[in-house]
Amino acid sequence: PGGVDADPFVSKVGELPKFEKPKASRGGVASPLGGVSDDAMSETSQGTHVSGVSELVDSVTTKEQKTQAKAVVKDFVKAMVKGRKMNVMAPNGGLKACTVSLSRNLDALRLKAGSNTQNIPLKNIEEIHAGTEVEGLETPLDELCATLMLASENCITFRLADLNDRDTFVMCLLMFCNNQK
């Protein structure tokens, strides 16, 4: 109150807030929202900060991100419930191919290598580590590794095809594990 520019981001003339330095000019401003009139915009922008427009952009971006995230999780679940060929890393760094699947209830992981099958309830996975950041583990890890720390104090390290694959594996498994606790 009282100051000439108490808040330079508050619209004093009813025009849309801009992301660059605000200009004090009157007249028609092209609306980034298409057919919304200047009058309608001035009503919504009076007394608001630039965040009024950014919140609109954020909500659109957030919806797109949610849709994209759902698609990633859905694809992961489809592939994992069917069973997916993956590499498990031995303590000496050697890789062994196995089939890894997720139960239909998304509550257990099944590893199958040859005639050996191991079921791991997700509630028994205490930690999931991406990359090389695993304390006390002598297995030679790299950026493509995802390591599951089990309640039994055993570890299982998977080596994935690329960073995106590793991150998706870690994110989805972490989400399902947290759902079981």
Side-chain angles (χ1 to χ4, degrees), residues 7-64:
D7 189 347
F9 295 108
V10 174
S11 174
K12 294 181 179 37
V13 292
E15 72 178 59
L16 282 173
K18 298 199 180 340
F19 289 102
E20 62 253 14
K21 193 172 183 175
K23 295 176 187 161
S25 70
R26 294 182 184 266
V29 176
S31 170
L33 301 175
V36 179
S37 72
D38 290 341
D39 291 340
M41 288 309 294
S42 66
E43 283 177 33
T44 58
S45 68
Q46 281 178 344
T48 60
H49 299 279
V50 174
S51 63
V53 172
S54 345
E55 284 168 12
L56 184 66
V57 171
D58 287 348
S59 72
V60 170
T61 306
T62 302
K63 283 180 187 172
E64 288 172 9

Side-chain angles (χ1 to χ4, degrees), residues 35-180:
V36 179
S37 72
D38 290 341
D39 291 340
M41 288 309 294
S42 66
E43 283 177 33
T44 58
S45 68
Q46 281 178 344
T48 60
H49 299 279
V50 174
S51 63
V53 172
S54 345
E55 284 168 12
L56 184 66
V57 171
D58 287 348
S59 72
V60 170
T61 306
T62 302
K63 283 180 187 172
E64 288 172 9
Q65 286 173 336
K66 283 181 183 174
T67 304
Q68 195 174 17
K70 282 181 181 178
V72 167
V73 173
K74 185 177 180 181
D75 291 345
F76 176 82
V77 169
K78 271 187 185 175
M80 291 299 290
V81 168
K82 263 187 213 171
R84 186 175 148 191
K85 296 270 186 225
M86 294 178 73
N87 288 316
V88 174
M89 189 176 279
N92 66 4
L95 296 176
K96 183 170 182 143
C98 68
T99 302
V100 181
S101 60
L102 201 51
S103 67
R104 288 195 181 279
N105 294 331
L106 308 179
D107 62 356
L109 205 56
R110 173 177 285 171
L111 279 69
K112 187 171 182 170
S115 61
N116 297 333
T117 301
Q118 182 178 1
N119 282 321
I120 303 165
L122 295 186
K123 64 182 179 193
N124 291 351
I125 298 174
E126 293 194 342
E127 297 175 33
I128 301 175
H129 296 277
T132 59
E133 305 292 317
V134 184
E135 278 185 39
L137 192 62
E138 294 180 22
T139 304
L141 304 174
D142 64 23
E143 288 301 310
L144 299 177
C145 291
T147 303
L148 312 180
M149 309 289 275
L150 307 179
S152 63
E153 297 187 10
N154 289 332
C155 295
I156 299 172
T157 298
F158 296 97
R159 187 164 192 283
L160 294 116
D162 57 48
L163 288 175
N164 193 36
D165 196 21
R166 182 208 68 187
D167 291 346
T168 301
F169 180 79
V170 168
M171 177 197 71
C172 290
L173 213 51
L174 194 56
M175 190 168 54
F176 299 141
C177 287
N178 288 339
N179 240 7
Q180 298 300 308

